[in-house]
Amino acid sequence: MNVYCELYSCLVSAEELGKHQLTAVILSGGPNSVYEEGSPHVSKDIWAMLKEREVPILGICYGMQELAYVFGGEVSPGTKREYGKAQVKRIKGCDSQLFEGLPEEAQMWMSHADKLSKVPTGFTKIAGTDNADFVAIENTQTKMYGLQFHPEVTHSPLGPTILKNFVVTIAKAQQDWVMTDYANEFIQDVRQTVGPDGHVIGAVSGGVDSTVAAVLMNKAIGHRFHAVMVDNGCLRKDEAVNVLKRLRDKCGVDLKCVDASDRFLTLLKGVTDPEQKRKIIGGTFIDIFQEESERINEAHGGACDFLLQGTLYPDVIESISYKGPSATIKTHHNVGGLPASMKLKLIEPLRELFKDEVRELGIALGIEADSVWRHPFPGPGLAIRVLGEVTPERVAMLQEADAIMIEELHKSGHYRPIGQAFVVLLPVKSVGVMGDGRTYENVACVRCVETTDYMTADFYHLPYDVMSNMSGRIINEVRGINRLCYDISSKPPATIEWE
């Protein structure tokens, strides 16, 4: 849409928000019930400021319920929860600007338990579903609109049309912001932050996020940026060699690979809790980066006080809770899994971007398509895809299975349409028959999802013949696996990763 926006907590003060020339305000979703004690609410001062300035407002999910809470509507617990796809039907004769260009019925993504039972004063209903009467409301006099569904996610195909209708048609926002502006602003800011002599160490995992972050930092400060890839013993097969070729040889980034596999695997021995795994890995990563920064200081005689990370906005949302207004879903090693004693200061250029925007930024920076469209790979690596205890033997088993799965997706032409694909090694064994003999070996599961924003995802409908080839190859070629499953859950209620 090319419209500039900024993200704020609902706890922002009217004074801070009032510093800006506000074109529109969107109230996001959240996990709370508006009537619960301690639920997040917009302050009276902000409501007064928005009314005085006549700023258009769109409330999404909890944001719509906040409109109801403030302006005399009612929100009630639903008798049936809605998570996933729903058919939203416009009321007869609806000519709302918000729904301009949409058919009478459209698929949208729901994620709610409570629902609107009475529209706020001055509002009218413009759409409903079989489960909820009021899923879209409007007050055209005050330019306030509410949606129970999520138009911003991948699985609301016509959601962008609604958002554009609000932002451009109703709010009259300018469509003049481009990704190169974001890159140029970051380059200027980081040069000022780091100074003319400062050095930055960068965490690189080989995924698109850290690749884009590394190339961006390299453009900002050149040889004073030192990328480090830590081999934690849980990388994909041949990952270290491939990343070195891609980033160092093709992108010109100063990249060093530190083999710390024994160190990580020793610390992970006997650990089965996924949160503990993430924190051990996050803490050890930082220890290594601090050691490397000291080495850089000695070599270059300059202060290496900063750590670059490819944190994305979904990582932040899933890791930080209200009295940040999102529920903590899991700790991300690059958000909530870092030790309080960390000496390095974080630089996170992608922190306010979603995955599709990171890819757009990568293209703007001139990164080759194969790198930009590579599937995400988590910082903790295969440690969170080996469910239960992480051992060298189980990691090696998963590396082989994962390599076969990726190879089959490329061969069949399904890699690019999939948002993320991987294999999980389960802490479960099953009975099998091989060579007329009984086996009792491990179960693995393939997870392929369709998504662009990674906030929601649906399982990818992989053809049976591709599944069959994967299963046959993995079970025959990977010693220790005798059963392969396929994950058909969506996000929500499941997450993309298993841990």
Side-chain angles (χ1 to χ4, degrees):
M1 207 182 299
N2 300 115
V3 174
Y4 179 76
C5 66
E6 291 188 7
L7 300 165
Y8 285 92
S9 162
C10 62
L11 302 180
V12 66
S13 67
E15 181 184 6
E16 174 63 27
L17 202 59
K19 293 176 183 177
H20 302 279
Q21 184 179 345
L22 299 173
T23 303
V25 168
I26 296 178
L27 305 176
S28 74
N32 300 81
S33 171
V34 287
Y35 298 118
E36 286 178 355
E37 185 179 349
S39 290
H41 294 290
V42 176
S43 72
K44 291 180 181 179
D45 289 342
I46 287 181
W47 283 119
M49 179 191 66
L50 296 177
K51 181 180 179 181
E52 181 184 345
R53 297 190 184 185
E54 299 182 340
V55 177
I57 299 168
L58 173 64
I60 295 174
C61 195
Y62 182 90
M64 182 179 84
Q65 295 171 13
E66 173 74 353
L67 289 175
Y69 177 84
V70 173
F71 295 102
E74 290 182 6
V75 178
S76 307
T79 55
K80 179 183 176 184
R81 298 183 300 171
E82 270 190 309
Y83 296 102
K85 299 171 185 174
Q87 292 301 121
V88 172
K89 303 170 185 177
R90 298 169 64 171
I91 63 168
K92 288 184 179 179
C94 169
D95 60 354
S96 171
Q97 279 187 300
L98 195 65
F99 276 44
E100 188 176 329
L102 266 69
E104 296 300 310
E105 189 172 321
Q107 174 192 302
M108 297 292 168
W109 191 269
M110 292 285 191
S111 182
H112 69 100
D114 292 354
K115 62 183 180 182
L116 193 65
S117 53
K118 176 187 171 185
V119 296
T121 304
F123 284 75
T124 57
K125 168 186 173 180
I126 54 178
T129 67
D130 292 339
N131 183 52
D133 288 333
F134 310 112
V135 300
I137 58 174
E138 68 178 2
N139 183 333
T140 53
Q141 275 195 319
T142 60
K143 292 187 179 179
M144 291 187 186
Y145 303 82
L147 302 172
Q148 183 60 70
F149 54 86
H150 288 269
E152 77 278 13
V153 302
T154 305
H155 293 94
S156 293
L158 296 177
T161 301
I162 295 176
L163 290 174
K164 188 174 182 180
N165 286 342
F166 173 72
V167 173
V168 179
T169 305
I170 295 170
K172 311 296 184 187
Q174 296 297 310
Q175 294 180 274
D176 56 3
W177 185 86
V178 292
M179 193 57 76
T180 49
D181 292 343
Y182 186 92
N184 292 333
E185 286 174 17
F186 169 78
I187 288 170
Q188 290 174 9
D189 288 346
V190 82
R191 284 174 178 168
Q192 186 173 358
T193 300
V194 175
D197 301 314
H199 288 252
V200 177
I201 187 171
V204 172
S205 69
V208 61
D209 308 333
S210 61
T211 297
V212 171
V215 171
L216 186 57
M217 182 60 78
N218 195 53
K219 286 183 179 292
I221 61 172
H223 69 279
R224 291 185 289 121
F225 170 58
H226 312 275
V228 175
M229 180 177 189
V230 178
D231 185 348
N232 63 358
C234 299
L235 299 178
R236 279 178 160 155
K237 185 179 180 181
D238 299 327
E239 183 76 350
V241 173
N242 292 333
V243 172
L244 281 168
K245 284 181 182 176
R246 189 164 61 249
L247 267 178
R248 189 173 61 191
D249 300 345
K250 294 183 179 180
C251 296
V253 174
D254 175 22
L255 175 60
K256 175 186 177 183
C257 183
V258 177
D259 185 356
S261 52
D262 290 342
R263 184 170 172 179
F264 278 92
L265 292 172
T266 298
L267 290 169
L268 289 169
K269 188 174 182 180
V271 178
T272 58
D273 179 73
E275 284 295 289
Q276 194 178 353
K277 283 185 194 177
R278 286 178 176 271
K279 288 185 184 296
I280 288 171
I281 290 167
T284 309
F285 267 124
I286 294 302
D287 289 343
I288 291 169
F289 291 135
Q290 289 184 162
E291 292 163 11
E292 287 298 310
S293 70
E294 290 169 7
R295 179 191 62 79
I296 293 165
N297 282 339
E298 291 176 7
H300 297 278
C304 185
D305 296 327
F306 298 92
L307 170 64
L308 176 76
Q309 287 199 145
T311 309
L312 300 194
Y313 190 54
D315 299 339
V316 177
I317 292 171
E318 289 189 341
S319 297
I320 300 175
S321 64
Y322 176 76
K323 295 257 179 172
S326 298
T328 299
I329 297 169
K330 61 186 176 185
T331 299
H332 285 263
H333 80 287
N334 53 349
V335 182
L338 302 180
S341 60
M342 186 182 77
K343 297 175 185 176
L344 296 169
K345 301 167 193 171
L346 282 178
I347 296 178
E348 300 171 300
L350 314 180
R351 188 180 176 88
E352 294 181 353
L353 299 183
F354 289 90
K355 185 71 69 176
D356 53 336
E357 294 172 316
V358 173
R359 289 196 165 115
E360 185 182 344
L361 178 57
I363 291 168
L365 291 171
I367 300 172
E368 64 178 10
D370 285 349
S371 293
V372 169
W373 290 102
R374 200 163 185 258
H375 290 175
F377 187 68
L382 300 181
I384 58 168
R385 293 176 180 173
V386 174
L387 275 57
E389 184 179 5
V390 179
T391 66
E393 295 76 21
R394 290 177 66 77
V395 170
M397 195 184 305
L398 182 55
Q399 285 174 329
E400 294 299 327
D402 181 83
I404 291 170
M405 182 270 302
I406 295 295
E407 185 181 329
E408 288 299 321
L409 290 180
H410 279 296
K411 279 169 57 178
S412 60
H414 289 279
Y415 183 87
R416 179 72 176 269
I418 292 172
Q420 190 165 356
F422 55 91
V423 181
V424 176
L425 189 62
L426 306 181
V428 174
K429 287 190 172 184
S430 71
V431 174
V433 179
M434 288 184 174
D436 298 327
R438 178 185 183 275
T439 63
Y440 186 59
E441 294 181 334
N442 296 278
V443 179
C445 183
V446 172
R447 174 77 156 147
C448 300
V449 296
E450 286 183 289
T451 184
T452 57
D453 56 24
Y454 294 80
M455 291 300 296
T456 62
D458 203 1
F459 74 91
Y460 186 79
H461 293 243
L462 200 61
Y464 288 151
D465 61 329
V466 180
M467 289 188 191
S468 178
N469 290 339
M470 279 184 190
S471 178
R473 285 196 60 195
I474 289 173
I475 292 172
N476 284 313
E477 296 177 29
V478 183
R479 187 175 294 276
I481 295 176
N482 71 354
R483 192 178 298 267
L484 190 68
C485 307
Y486 192 73
D487 185 343
I488 59 168
S489 51
S490 63
K491 175 189 180 182
T495 54
I496 295 175
E497 295 283 353
W498 280 46
E499 287 193 346

